[in-house]
Each structure stands twice: as C-alpha cells, then as structure tokens.
Amino acid sequence: MSPPGRPKGEHPQAQPEGAPVNVRIKYFASIREAVGQGSEMLQTRAETLGALRDELIARGEPYASALARGKAVRMALDQDMSEEPAPLREGAEVAFFPPVTGG
C-alpha cells in the first residue's frame, strides 16, 4: 500500500549517490527457507533493488542460490511490486519472494 499522497507504484527519490541507507529486508516462502531467516535489517550503499539483490548474492551461500540471476524472484518495495531499477531510500522495506502460481 502506498503512503498517502503518492500514487501506487511511484517510489520516492533515492538517497544521494553513494550514501548508505538502512533497509528492512523480508524473505518469503522458499527464499526464507533457503536463507534461514524471515527478515533482517541491512545498511547498504545499493541504490536500486537490483543492486541490493546483487549485494546479497555476493554474500555467497545461501543467498547466492536463493536470489541467483536467471532465477525467478519477485520483489516489492514498501509493499508495492517493483522492478530492479526502483530506487532505494532510507527506511525502505524490501521483500523477496518466489513467483506465486495458482490454479
């Protein structure tokens, strides 16, 4: 859900280039099982969701397998489905989860 006054899917501007930001990361379903935790706080210099994903992959296992490039991973920024170019900001909530199938 977007904060009042901001259209759904529109994210605030990123922090100044290179400035560290504190984000809360949530992991769901098989990704949570793989990394062994449901959430964590992280200080990062990543400027986008994609850069944050790369930073987590660079940690090595189990993040490298759970979030690997080429693997289908959905992302949300502040509870809005988002793509990799979405800018991070101080206090953002990021969620990673596998695609959901239904029938």
Side-chain angles (χ1 to χ4, degrees):
M1 182 166 211
S2 296
R6 189 177 70 190
K8 184 172 179 68
E10 182 177 312
H11 301 288
Q13 294 297 315
Q15 296 292 108
E17 189 172 330
V21 295
N22 295 295
V23 296
R24 178 175 185 82
I25 304 173
K26 293 185 173 185
Y27 305 103
F28 291 94
S30 60
I31 296 174
R32 177 181 62 217
E33 292 171 18
V35 301
Q37 61 183 344
S39 67
E40 66 177 302
M41 295 296 295
L42 179 70
Q43 186 175 66
T44 180
R45 290 189 181 277
E47 296 178 7
T48 65
L49 280 177
L52 177 62
R53 182 179 179 182
D54 289 336
E55 182 178 316
L56 292 168
I57 291 168
R59 284 180 168 180
E61 294 303 329
Y63 298 91
S65 294
L67 299 171
R69 292 294 173 182
K71 187 170 188 172
V73 174
R74 305 290 311 263
M75 295 174 283
L77 180 60
D78 294 326
Q79 300 180 10
D80 285 329
M81 295 303 297
S82 300
E83 299 296 326
E84 292 202 4
L88 294 180
R89 63 166 181 78
E90 178 66 29
E93 179 186 273
V94 175
F96 291 102
F97 49 95
V100 176
T101 60

